[in-house]
């Protein structure tokens, strides 16, 4: 089994039959609704996608960038309980917090929306925050995760101190397959990234958050779920047992979903 914390297919395949995508996959795929490119009709599009994904029934749903809910303080009336997690930004500042490529901080609106989100039983996603906002949100929020990231020096990646802060909170970190964030250009190198993390931080926080359909900067030999499973076999060859691999590929992320339900 495989649990992917972040897949942008609802935005990439807008108006598609989502069940055709999810039913063919061996595992659970979090449908991340990437709103940054929606413009003025973001509310209608998010509600439409959410309704059609909810009809599929077994697919956890997330929102990447809730900035659209700042207008007229929509966030105070928005139903966040429908989602597994929400991020406050994409790569740039919103009314809530600072993005990875920008210099903003968590705002008073941001503190308010965190309370609303958590009251709805939804996790706060730390992906796409800049470093200052990352720690601002970590200090303010109770239930956090980082849905899709890497571990190099890219602004979208987490550094050692950020990883340690999340591990100390028992927060799940989704490792994406985007080469710019991981430095991994093959299945073998991706397995090496996993192994380095486990050797340094343990296996209780690491999960997968592929960012499939959100980036084309993905190694050819792990650019879909069937291919990604070869990483599992590489880890077996490195001496990982089935229980440990299952934690990384399924259990750590699934525990969040099970608690949410």
């Amino acid at each position: 089994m495989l649990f992917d914390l972040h897949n942008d297919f609802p935005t990439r395949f807008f108006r598609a039959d989502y069940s055709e995508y999810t039913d063919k996959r061996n595992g659970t795929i979090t449908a991340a609704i990437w709103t940054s490119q929606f413009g003025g009709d973001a509310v209608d599009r998010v509600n439409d996608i959410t309704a059609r994904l909810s009809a599929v029934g077994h697919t956890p749903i997330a929102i990447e960038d809730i900035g659209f809910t700042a207008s007229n303080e929509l966030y105070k009336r928005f139903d966040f309980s429908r989602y597994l997690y929400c991020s406050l930004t994409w790569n740039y500042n919103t009314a809530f917090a600072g993005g990875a490529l920008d210099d903003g901080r968590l705002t008073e609106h941001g503190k308010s929306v965190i309370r609303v989100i958590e009251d709805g039983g939804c996790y706060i996603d730390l992906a796409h925050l800049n470093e200052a906002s990352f720690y601002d949100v970590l200090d303010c929020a109770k239930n956090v995760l980082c849905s899709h990231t890497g571990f190099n020096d890219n602004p979208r990646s987490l550094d050692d101190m950020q990883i340690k802060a999340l591990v100390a909170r028992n927060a799940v970190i989704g490792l994406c397959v985007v080469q710019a964030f991981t430095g991994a250009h093959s299945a073998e190198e991706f397995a090496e990234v996993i192994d380095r993390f486990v050797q340094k931080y343990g296996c209780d926080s690491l999960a997968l958050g592929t960012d499939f359909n959100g980036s084309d900067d993905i190694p050819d030999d792990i650019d879909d779920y069937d291919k990604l499973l070869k990483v599992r076999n590489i880890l077996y060859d490195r001496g990982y047992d089935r229980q440990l691999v299952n934690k990384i590929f399924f259990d750590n992320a699934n525990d969040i979903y099970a608690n949410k339900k």
Side-chain angles (χ1 to χ4, degrees), residues 34 36 64-65 87-94 97-104 127-130 148 154-156 181:
W34 178 29
S36 305
E64 183 173 15
D65 186 359
S87 68
L88 305 183
T89 65
W90 186 55
N91 283 333
Y92 302 99
N93 295 344
T94 66
L101 304 184
D102 223 327
D103 59 358
H128 284 286
L129 292 172
N130 61 34
H148 61 304
N154 189 285
R156 271 282 290 110
F181 309 152

Side-chain angles (χ1 to χ4, degrees), residues 13 21 23 49-50 75 112 132 135 145 181 241 251 259-260:
F13 306 134
Y21 188 89
D23 286 350
I49 292 173
T50 300
Y75 66 86
S112 295
Y135 287 109
L145 56 80
F181 309 152
D241 63 28
D251 293 335
N259 289 337
K260 166 68 176 175

Side-chain angles (χ1 to χ4, degrees), residues 120-134:
C122 182
Y123 283 76
I124 308 297
D125 182 15
L126 301 175
H128 284 286
L129 292 172
N130 61 34
E131 183 176 356
S133 288
F134 173 94

Side-chain angles (χ1 to χ4, degrees), residues 81-238:
S81 68
R82 299 177 292 177
Y83 305 99
L84 179 62
Y85 64 78
C86 293
S87 68
L88 305 183
T89 65
W90 186 55
N91 283 333
Y92 302 99
N93 295 344
T94 66
F96 302 126
L101 304 184
D102 223 327
D103 59 358
R105 298 291 296 262
L106 181 67
T107 67
E108 290 304 313
H109 281 301
K111 294 175 184 178
S112 295
V113 79
I114 286 172
R115 290 192 291 269
V116 173
I117 290 170
E118 293 194 323
D119 284 346
C122 182
Y123 283 76
I124 308 297
D125 182 15
L126 301 175
H128 284 286
L129 292 172
N130 61 34
E131 183 176 356
S133 288
F134 173 94
Y135 287 109
D136 288 344
V137 174
L138 199 61
D139 287 341
C140 183
K142 296 177 182 178
N143 300 313
V144 298
L145 56 80
C146 189
S147 65
H148 61 304
T149 189
F151 308 133
N152 63 10
D153 58 359
N154 189 285
R156 271 282 290 110
S157 296
L158 299 177
D159 63 24
D160 177 66
M161 294 303 296
Q162 290 173 306
I163 295 170
K164 287 179 177 177
L166 291 175
V167 170
R169 291 276 295 269
N170 296 313
V172 171
I173 303 169
L175 177 61
C176 70
V177 294
V178 178
Q179 296 175 101
F181 309 152
T182 65
H185 306 294
S186 66
E188 190 72 42
E189 292 180 2
F190 189 76
E192 176 65 25
V193 173
I194 292 174
D195 188 40
R196 287 199 304 268
F197 183 100
V198 172
Q199 296 305 320
K200 190 168 186 178
Y201 308 105
C203 64
D204 292 337
S205 289
L206 188 60
L208 298 177
T210 63
D211 205 20
F212 282 159
N213 297 298
S215 175
D216 295 322
D217 182 29
I218 296 172
D220 291 341
D221 63 346
I222 51 173
D223 61 0
D224 66 36
Y225 289 112
D226 290 338
K227 293 180 182 178
L228 186 61
L229 290 177
K230 73 176 61 175
V231 177
R232 179 186 60 188
N233 295 328
I234 294 170
L235 293 174
Y236 287 151
D237 290 342
R238 286 173 174 241

